Amino acid sequence: MSYKASNVWIANLSHTFKKQVKPTLSDINLSIPKGQLTALIGRSGCGKSTLLQMIAGLMIPSDGAIRIGGHTVTKPSAKWNMMFQNPSLYPWMTVRESAALGLVFAGTYKDKKDKVEDLLDMVGLSELKDENVQKLSGGQQQRVALARSLATEPEVLLLDEPFSALDAFTRTTLQNEVAQICHDQGITMVMVTHDIDEAVAMADNVIIMSQNPGEIVGDLKVNFSYPRDRNSEEFIILKEKLFGEFEKIDQAKQKELLEMA
Amino acid sequence: MSQSTLPSKSSLSRITNGFNSLPTGVQGFVNATIGMGILLFFWWVGGLLIANNPDTEAFAGFAPGSAFVALWALITNGELWGTIYSSLYRILNGLFWGIVIGVPVGILVGYFIRVRQIANMPLQFLRMISPLAWMPISVLAFESWDNAIIFLLVMATLWPILFGTAHGVQRIDPNWFKVARNLGADGYQMLRRIILPAIGQDVFAGIRLAIGVAWVVLVPAEYLGVTSGLGYAINDARDTLDYGKLAAVVVVIGAIGYMLDFIAVKLLKRYSWHAG
Ligand SMILES: Nc1ncnc2c1ncn2[C@@H]1O[C@H](COP(=O)(O)OP(=O)(O)OP(=O)(O)O)[C@@H](O)[C@H]1O
Ligand SMILES: [Mg+2]
């Protein structure tokens, strides 16, 4: 577990929610490499969102530590930013105001106006900068949220099922774009997903989580150059491999749970 | 998708906006004129009935004809402006203090569950007391009549503003706080950039209700001690049996009340972020 080589480093993290006996997350140790996209997959309710929010500093684990680039995470920061499943835009703002919000909070918007314009161009919203966000489609709103997250130049971007509410076409486009951004800009990304396709299409590493308690049970490197052709043999083989891995772990876990009962 | 991520029009604004979705343009103007015409007709018929009944003919001044003559006199001799000024001064003061107290307290009550739990009962209790019931206490507590009346008006404006604000804060999507914290907002920025814009329309809906209540309370409050204002003018006209003038002041009260409400609706729309 090399701490220097990784951007997000998690040691012995466990979490039990208030008024609960069983831990939701148990003894998680992770070292997430810099500048790469790491996907976190696992069944619904296994604690993926909880773990991500802890990395973002929005929740404090009952045990263990999280460090990002040498800083211990204790509270939210513009350096590690989280993008939610739901774009959560503020309906009284324009597209530009939304994207600039993090910079406004930091007091640096005046110096970085161009940055916001460039980002909005990059996510394909050049024409809509002055529109109220309520006029946008779901996919366009999610792009605004992406621009907003990138504007503060985070070292780490955490994505919690960011595309799950989108239609298949928009989803595929955004998946490719985000993976591209990750590698072009060298941002470390951690992405929660339900979707094996999405994981294989985007990730450099896949981490598999199991349930009750949530723990890390496996990982897989995806050495596959971009852009990834989803119809290629390589892609399909990787997908099956990941699926197999997931099933195997899941079955072992089920069995273990049955034996315990 | 966009429907599910952005909250729909609140029930409060739907109630308060109901009457404003009138047709605009020429048609709207024609219909409004018809409406006022009907009102005037009933007034005129009422005036005739009063004048032709031996028991009530002394009150014939209430009819539209003499009321408009009296109104014209009030306007031309300048008496009206001082009267309106006094009343507006009190109303605006009452609103000002209602906002200055109601908005911050409303935010605290809406934001902190603990504050809400502690404050709810006493506030609901105080709210149910008619503003006019404070009259004796107000007269004792304030040296000037003006301030006593303003206090009564604050007791009228405070509740709709406070509860409107608190309701608005409670309705804020919890994700909005999370996202803002995540983007590095501190407490002040949260208030200035997220909470205040989010509740703008709830605050102004509260202010609109407050204006309505305060305007109703103003007239009886001005029966108190003071020698100026619309309520005083009504009382004075009654005492001098000048029923034309009395009816004229009633018209003025209605007209100004309508204008105040109109301004409140404009502000409400200006600070409302709901689409459509
Ligand atoms: N504030 C909370 N208090 C108590 N339990 C909670 C709280 N938040 C989440 N949980 C529980 O913790 C577990 C993990 O929740 P979490 O949202 O992290 O799951 P997830 O893996 O993201 O699921 P999904 O894939 O459905 O989004 C769930 O069983 C959930 O009920
Ligand atoms: Mg989740």
Side-chain angles (χ1 to χ4, degrees):
Chain A
M1 172 136 325
S2 64
Y3 156 54
K4 277 229 172 78
S6 69
N7 208 331
V8 181
W9 181 78
I10 302 173
N12 308 322
L13 181 145
S14 296
H15 187 71
T16 310
F17 279 107
K18 256 186 220 155
K19 294 183 188 153
Q20 285 191 356
V21 201
K22 278 178 147 183
T24 297
L25 295 172
S26 165
D27 199 29
I28 292 190
N29 290 284
L30 271 179
S31 150
I32 293 171
K34 215 171 183 156
Q36 295 189 2
L37 202 155
T38 300
L40 195 58
I41 63 171
R43 282 186 185 273
S44 182
C46 72
K48 305 181 294 292
S49 298
T50 307
L51 180 59
L52 217 57
Q53 296 202 45
M54 284 171 176
I55 302 176
L58 291 168
M59 281 168 82
I60 303 297
S62 34
D63 240 313
I66 299 170
R67 313 197 83 193
I68 293 180
H71 299 277
T72 302
V73 176
T74 52
K75 58 179 197 305
S77 154
K79 279 191 179 156
W80 40 90
N81 195 283
M82 175 136 170
M83 204 179 137
F84 300 87
Q85 174 174 1
N86 184 314
S88 287
L89 301 178
Y90 301 98
W92 54 88
M93 293 186 186
T94 64
V95 168
R96 180 182 286 109
E97 288 166 346
S98 307
L101 193 58
L103 296 176
V104 170
F105 287 154
T108 54
Y109 179 51
K110 273 204 177 110
D111 310 323
K112 295 189 177 170
K113 282 194 169 132
D114 294 343
K115 171 100 196 159
V116 172
E117 303 303 311
D118 293 347
L119 274 170
L120 288 174
D121 293 339
M122 186 182 81
V123 297
L125 293 173
S126 316
E127 314 280 294
L128 299 169
K129 286 175 187 166
D130 294 309
E131 293 291 336
N132 180 282
V133 293
Q134 291 179 92
K135 288 200 181 152
L136 272 52
S137 72
Q140 289 167 334
Q141 291 189 5
Q142 200 57 294
R143 283 162 203 261
V144 176
L146 179 62
R148 176 174 70 184
S149 289
L150 292 173
T152 49
E153 299 175 359
E155 290 170 27
V156 178
L157 182 59
L158 306 155
L159 305 130
D160 194 354
E161 301 180 39
F163 313 121
S164 59
L166 303 178
D167 69 88
F169 298 110
T170 316
R171 193 188 314 144
T172 311
T173 318
L174 271 176
Q175 283 168 348
N176 294 340
E177 284 171 7
V178 168
Q180 198 71 49
I181 290 167
C182 171
H183 296 105
D184 289 353
Q185 321 232 341
I187 302 172
T188 307
M189 294 197 186
V190 185
M191 180 180 73
V192 165
T193 176
H194 272 137
D195 181 352
I196 301 247
D197 260 66
E198 184 166 277
V200 177
M202 296 177 70
D204 301 293
N205 319 286
V206 182
I207 294 170
I208 304 170
M209 260 177 93
S210 75
Q211 210 170 353
N212 279 326
E215 52 193 355
I216 307 297
V217 284
D219 60 76
L220 188 81
K221 275 238 164 289
V222 184
N223 285 320
F224 188 5
S225 64
Y226 290 90
R228 293 175 181 171
D229 177 0
R230 294 177 197 221
N231 295 316
S232 68
E233 205 178 326
E234 205 177 353
F235 191 93
I236 292 164
I237 291 171
L238 268 167
K239 218 169 96 176
E240 275 167 5
K241 191 170 164 201
L242 184 57
F243 202 77
E245 195 91 358
F246 190 66
E247 289 255 280
K248 201 167 71 197
I249 290 163
D250 219 38
Q251 273 163 12
K253 181 85 180 195
Q254 299 285 354
K255 209 168 143 210
E256 189 183 315
L257 282 174
L258 274 176
E259 277 163 6
M260 269 168 59
Chain B
M1 164 82 194
S2 64
Q3 270 80 4
S4 72
T5 58
L6 300 166
S8 60
K9 227 177 177 97
S10 74
S11 53
L12 181 67
S13 72
R14 217 180 300 135
I15 294 165
T16 54
N17 282 337
F19 262 93
N20 304 319
S21 43
L22 292 169
T24 48
V26 181
Q27 198 202 348
F29 181 75
V30 170
N31 288 343
T33 311
I34 292 174
M36 288 311 283
I38 293 172
L39 182 62
L40 209 60
F41 174 75
F42 278 111
W43 184 10
W44 176 71
V45 170
L48 279 185
L49 290 176
I50 289 173
N52 291 326
N53 183 336
D55 290 342
T56 56
E57 63 187 341
F59 303 108
F62 278 122
S66 38
F68 284 114
V69 171
L71 180 60
W72 183 249
L74 281 176
I75 292 171
T76 46
N77 71 15
E79 197 185 326
L80 187 61
W81 311 122
T83 303
I84 292 177
Y85 173 82
S86 305
S87 287
L88 279 183
Y89 169 81
R90 292 170 192 139
I91 279 282
L92 291 179
N93 255 289
L95 262 183
F96 173 79
W97 290 107
I99 293 169
V100 164
I101 302 167
V103 173
V105 176
I107 290 176
L108 292 177
V109 168
Y111 193 82
F112 297 105
I113 295 173
R114 188 81 199 281
V115 176
R116 181 152 69 246
Q117 286 170 342
I118 292 173
N120 192 45
M121 274 255 274
L123 290 180
Q124 295 288 357
F125 174 81
L126 289 172
R127 180 174 81 114
M128 296 316 285
I129 300 170
S130 158
L132 291 170
W134 293 98
M135 206 178 268
I137 296 172
S138 175
V139 169
L140 280 176
F142 293 92
E143 267 184 36
S144 86
W145 286 107
D146 253 334
N147 289 345
I149 291 175
I150 289 169
F151 174 77
L152 296 186
L153 293 175
V154 173
M155 295 316 280
T157 57
L158 183 58
W159 313 114
I161 294 174
L162 194 160
F163 286 104
T165 305
H167 178 251
V169 175
Q170 271 179 271
R171 244 170 11 94
I172 296 179
D173 183 344
N175 282 325
W176 290 356
F177 294 123
K178 214 189 234 178
V179 169
R181 281 211 302 139
N182 184 40
L183 287 169
D186 61 28
Y188 170 74
Q189 288 167 331
M190 187 73 89
L191 181 69
R192 161 94 176 64
R193 303 268 170 200
I194 310 299
I195 297 177
L196 288 180
I199 63 173
Q201 63 170 6
D202 302 276
V203 173
F204 280 102
I207 290 175
R208 186 186 178 195
L209 292 175
I211 289 175
V213 187
W215 197 241
V216 169
V217 169
L218 176 75
V219 171
E222 283 179 341
Y223 292 172
L224 258 175
V226 291
T227 53
S228 64
L230 294 160
Y232 167 76
I234 285 195
N235 230 10
D236 188 51
R238 189 196 61 191
D239 292 347
T240 56
L241 309 182
D242 190 348
Y243 297 118
K245 184 178 168 190
L246 201 159
V249 176
V250 169
V251 169
V252 171
I253 289 173
I256 296 178
Y258 183 84
M259 278 192 292
L260 288 174
D261 189 63
F262 183 80
I263 295 169
V265 169
K266 285 277 170 233
L267 285 170
L268 202 164
K269 290 205 170 137
R270 163 74 183 72
Y271 288 96
S272 163
W273 42 259
H274 287 301

